[in-house]
Amino acid sequence: MSAPVAVIRLPHGPDGSSRGFDPMSPRFQALGPTSLSSMVSGNTTDLEQEQQSRVMLRERYLRSLLAMAGRPVSFTMYEQVNVTALFGASDIDILNFQVSELQTPLGIQREALLRCSDVIAYSFEL
């Protein structure tokens, strides 16, 4: 007999028919980007500065992914598991890493996908 699966429903938005959230609600402001308060107050210089910082950090991260290609990378995973592998690629949303020769405590996997949500940190030699 199969087990029933709960269905998660998103709450209705502020107008009753949409699935969006009120940008002025305390929950949205607490979980939303810090630039939201800058947009509401009209301070565009803070917003532009934050966007430039995000652009710089995103570019550095993408360059690090390019530099890792074909190199041995050490991954620190949850539950204090450390694995090493040859980095291959990442999907477009950077949700998974494709690796080769994954050395785990249980043995070596020739090819594998690592979920980015399971990775705490990674390091590699330049």
Side-chain angles (χ1 to χ4, degrees):
M1 180 171 182
S2 61
V5 176
V7 176
I8 299 175
R9 302 267 184 212
L10 293 175
H12 287 286
D15 61 1
S17 63
S18 71
R19 295 284 185 192
F21 294 97
D22 180 13
M24 301 309 293
S25 71
R27 181 177 185 270
F28 186 86
Q29 290 178 359
L31 298 176
T34 58
S35 61
L36 182 64
S37 60
S38 298
M39 286 183 359
V40 172
S41 66
N43 191 351
T44 58
T45 57
D46 289 343
L47 178 60
E48 289 172 3
Q49 185 178 8
E50 182 178 345
Q51 287 177 342
Q52 287 300 319
S53 298
R54 288 178 185 261
V55 166
M56 181 188 65
L57 291 172
R58 175 81 172 165
E59 184 178 352
R60 280 185 183 177
Y61 180 68
L62 293 175
R63 288 186 187 276
S64 75
L65 289 178
L66 283 173
M68 287 191 323
R71 295 179 187 251
V73 179
S74 298
F75 295 94
T76 303
M77 314 285 278
Y78 283 103
E79 300 296 327
Q80 299 177 349
V81 175
N82 294 315
V83 296
T84 57
L86 292 176
F87 185 81
S90 170
D91 59 358
I92 194 161
D93 297 324
I94 310 175
L95 297 174
N96 300 301
F97 291 144
Q98 183 274 323
V99 296
S100 304
E101 304 302 322
L102 178 65
Q103 297 175 4
T104 70
L106 297 176
I108 298 176
Q109 293 293 320
R110 187 168 173 213
E111 299 290 330
L113 280 178
L114 298 178
R115 295 184 304 188
C116 291
S117 59
D118 294 336
V119 175
I120 296 173
Y122 62 84
S123 62
F124 64 100
E125 302 258 343
L126 286 177

